[in-house]
Amino acid sequence: MTIATNILRVRETIAEACDRAGRDPSAVTLIAVSKTHPPETVLEAVAAGVQHFGENRVEEAGTKIPAVNGLTPRPLVWHMIGHIQSRKAKDVLPLFQYVQSVDSVKLAGKLSGLAVTQGCTLDVLLEVNVSGEEAKYGLVASGWQTDVDTRRRLWADMEAILALPGLNVRGLMTMAPIVDDMEQARPVFASLAALRNALAEAFHRPLPDLSMGMTDDYPVAVEEGATMVRVGRAIFGERQS
Ligand SMILES: *Cc1c(COP(=O)(O)O)cnc(C)c1O
């Protein structure tokens, strides 16, 4: 399978899921997750028409993004999707147009400060952990529909982050647990969509973006309202490291 063929197949699968859900496929952005893959491989996806790419490590991105950008005239959009250590925050802004992994008020404050200094605003998503898995990063949100304390903390964090001048908060991101059957991930995606709706209503913000769904579960995520899917292996094959 070539990367171009894989991309066609993923786009078809997204279109089929949109059909089932009565959604418009143009409302779903495919983000090709290129972590561990070299610039030449990324360029194959660019040649196949992909514009959005996801990377999860600042160091790896620091060499790869300038390399790829230097090899194509097309304007690419780079999404940071991995946990950002505080001391690496300053390296994120020059590389990425979009940060999907804002997982604390502290990191949000830091990114906002950097953006303000540079006279720009950064598009971000808040990463939330709706599944309750301990190994996952993200603002704690499991049980948000019933647990008053979780809700209070989440709402307070949201309020603090929305007040930051350097960030444009566009929505939420989550990672579902790894499961055998993608149907098992559906409640997690539904919960993220409901949380987005609740926050949008409470704070009078549109919060248009829902980034959810990876190789093993993106069709279900699209059915539940994903506006961004982050697909790595189904496009590039197994990772190099
Ligand atoms: C690696 C990664 C993906 C892509 O995973 P695949 O299973 O290869 O599609 C998506 N989101 C995040 C946050 C990742 O780290």
Side-chain angles (χ1 to χ4, degrees), residues 2-230:
T2 66
I3 285 171
T5 315
N6 291 342
I7 289 166
L8 269 181
R9 187 176 291 171
V10 169
R11 289 206 189 279
E12 264 168 33
T13 306
I14 291 170
E16 286 162 11
C18 283
D19 248 11
R20 291 194 294 276
R23 300 186 60 206
D24 179 352
S26 71
V28 182
T29 300
L30 172 61
I31 297 171
V33 177
S34 48
K35 64 191 189 198
T36 79
H37 298 288
E40 313 83 75
T41 308
V42 180
L43 286 168
E44 285 186 55
V46 174
V50 174
Q51 194 192 0
H52 293 260
F53 290 89
E55 288 285 333
N56 72 334
R57 294 179 55 209
V58 177
E59 254 158 44
E60 184 182 341
T63 51
K64 192 190 298 184
I65 292 178
V68 174
N69 285 344
L71 288 167
T72 175
R74 297 198 202 166
L76 304 179
V77 182
W78 291 93
H79 298 252
M80 178 58 184
I81 60 173
H83 177 65
I84 300 167
Q85 290 167 287
S86 239
R87 63 190 168 84
K88 300 262 177 72
K90 64 175 186 330
D91 301 327
V92 167
L93 262 78
L95 295 168
F96 293 93
Q97 287 72 55
Y98 221 108
V99 177
Q100 301 205 357
S101 44
V102 174
D103 55 11
S104 69
V105 176
K106 188 176 159 215
L107 174 64
K110 194 141 199 173
L111 291 172
S112 172
L114 289 159
V116 168
T117 305
Q118 296 178 24
C120 63
T121 52
L122 182 64
D123 285 327
V124 299
L125 301 181
L126 304 189
E127 179 173 359
V128 295
N129 178 348
V130 278
S131 68
E133 277 185 297
E134 279 183 19
K136 293 229 185 320
Y137 288 107
L139 303 173
V140 174
S142 74
W144 69 270
Q145 273 150 317
T146 49
D147 190 274
V148 177
D149 284 339
T150 300
R151 207 181 162 98
R152 193 175 292 140
R153 230 174 295 129
L154 202 51
W155 260 236
D157 285 354
M158 188 73 182
E159 186 168 14
I161 293 170
L162 285 174
L164 295 169
L167 303 186
N168 178 24
V169 181
R170 296 211 26 111
L172 305 179
M173 183 269 248
T174 202
M175 284 174 86
I178 294 164
V179 290
D180 295 331
D181 173 3
M182 66 173 97
E183 278 303 326
Q184 293 173 272
R186 190 182 295 277
V188 170
F189 298 141
S191 177
L192 190 76
L195 176 60
R196 185 275 304 270
N197 294 346
L199 289 169
E201 193 178 7
F203 292 97
H204 308 290
R205 292 284 189 116
L207 304 178
D209 283 328
L210 275 180
S211 175
M212 54 189 196
M214 313 182 4
T215 290
D216 291 329
D217 55 25
Y218 71 94
V220 169
V222 168
E223 286 175 21
E224 294 299 327
T227 65
M228 296 176 167
V229 291
R230 310 179 307 270

